[in-house]
Amino acid sequence: MLALRNIQLSFGQRVILGDISAEVAPGCITAVMGPNGCGKTTLLRCIGGLLQPDSGHVLIDHKPVADYTARQLAQRLAFVRQHAQTDFEFSAFETVLMGRNPYQRHLQNESQADWDIVERCMRQTGTWHLRFSTPAQMSGGELQRVMIARALAQETPLLLLDEPVSNLDIAHQLEIMRLLRQASDKTVLIVIHDLNLALQFCDRLMLLHEGRLLFHGPVAEGLTPDNIRLVYGVDTHMADGRIVFDY
């Protein structure tokens, strides 16, 4: 259960998020959409406890995020950042294995079950062949898939992804979106720019416009030509179940 209650956040005089309230449907993929600078990443960072809003609350299972310990929160949500990066030369396998840290006691070694979870998640994301590779030996897209595998290995009910497919080629975009589609036990919030990927793979839509929540509901009802024109400033129409841009 994820709920946003009157979330407001400003940087100086600039309002980034203005009075956002919503209850996120459990077990669904919710696309968080809007143009650059509209507050999408900031909203995910507030949900993930990385930013504290000026006012309002993020509630997970009816409890404010701020009231969770770091360990408790890491057992409830996993966050994949927009730009995959790591400051250490860990192998891909070691990086994904870090997703099991919230379940380890102090000085406890990983179990065979942890290793099996890591292998499964790496195979699901097509990164098992990279298990001995370091970040310097991987492309940006490969590292991004490793970070998605780490989030999956964390086995949390809530998954936050900030543009997880933006650095991937078309085949891997579809692969990751299909994988998320199959994770029916998770509540997923994904920042995504591709309107048709959202239409095909997402259930719900949070459409932001100038820091405010313009629409929250079924994705097909929110991605209308009028809303797209208002938010993105472009004209579109529907054809064969797809959004087509007017040139």
Side-chain angles (χ1 to χ4, degrees):
M1 179 67 182
L2 172 64
L4 313 178
R5 298 283 186 260
N6 307 110
I7 301 298
Q8 299 192 52
L9 179 67
S10 298
F11 294 153
Q13 298 299 313
R14 184 186 173 199
V15 176
I16 306 299
L17 300 174
D19 196 27
I20 292 182
S21 294
E23 291 193 0
V24 178
C28 292
I29 302 179
T30 297
V32 181
M33 305 190 75
N36 292 336
C38 73
K40 302 183 299 297
T41 294
T42 300
L43 179 60
L44 254 64
R45 289 173 65 85
C46 286
I47 295 172
L50 301 176
L51 280 177
Q52 181 68 35
D54 298 329
S55 61
H57 299 282
V58 177
L59 305 174
I60 296 179
D61 294 333
H62 309 287
K63 180 179 176 179
V65 163
D67 291 348
Y68 285 96
T69 66
R71 180 184 177 90
Q72 290 171 338
L73 193 59
Q75 292 177 355
R76 285 163 175 80
L77 66 85
F79 196 123
V80 177
R81 299 171 184 267
Q82 180 176 354
H83 301 292
Q85 61 182 21
T86 177
D87 297 326
F88 303 98
E89 289 297 298
F90 293 112
S91 70
F93 186 93
E94 291 169 327
T95 298
V96 178
L97 189 60
M98 291 176 192
R100 304 303 302 160
N101 287 349
Y103 307 98
Q104 307 299 327
R105 296 187 180 91
H106 184 58
L107 299 180
Q108 179 186 12
N109 291 327
E110 298 85 5
S111 66
Q112 182 62 49
D114 293 320
W115 286 51
D116 291 343
I117 290 169
V118 169
E119 179 176 351
R120 185 189 76 235
C121 293
M122 295 191 76
R123 289 190 183 280
Q124 287 176 332
T125 53
T127 55
W128 182 242
H129 69 288
L130 299 168
R131 58 191 178 278
F132 302 120
S133 301
T134 63
Q137 297 169 325
M138 291 184 281
S139 69
E142 288 172 336
L143 182 56
Q144 185 74 339
R145 285 188 286 136
V146 167
M147 293 304 184
I148 293 171
R150 184 174 73 174
L152 293 173
Q154 206 168 321
E155 291 196 321
T156 57
L158 179 58
L159 188 57
L160 310 177
L161 304 107
D162 191 2
E163 297 191 39
V165 298
S166 59
N167 290 329
L168 305 183
D169 59 41
I170 295 172
H172 284 118
Q173 285 183 20
L174 293 174
E175 181 180 288
I176 294 300
M177 294 305 295
R178 290 191 189 105
L179 178 59
L180 296 177
R181 181 74 273 168
Q182 293 165 5
S184 57
D185 60 328
K186 294 184 182 295
T187 299
V188 179
L189 272 76
I190 177 171
V191 173
I192 189 170
H193 284 290
D194 190 307
L195 302 178
N196 283 304
L197 274 182
L199 193 63
Q200 181 176 356
F201 289 101
C202 299
D203 306 293
R204 310 278 292 179
L205 170 68
M206 297 178 70
L207 185 60
L208 299 181
H209 178 56
E210 297 179 351
R212 298 187 180 274
L213 188 58
L214 176 70
F215 176 88
H216 181 211
V219 64
E221 295 179 14
L223 290 181
T224 63
D226 286 344
N227 283 345
I228 294 171
R229 183 183 306 110
L230 174 62
V231 171
Y232 295 102
V234 296
D235 292 321
T236 60
H237 67 275
M238 294 294 296
D240 298 324
R242 292 180 57 82
I243 298 169
V244 179
F245 294 96
D246 299 331
Y247 293 99

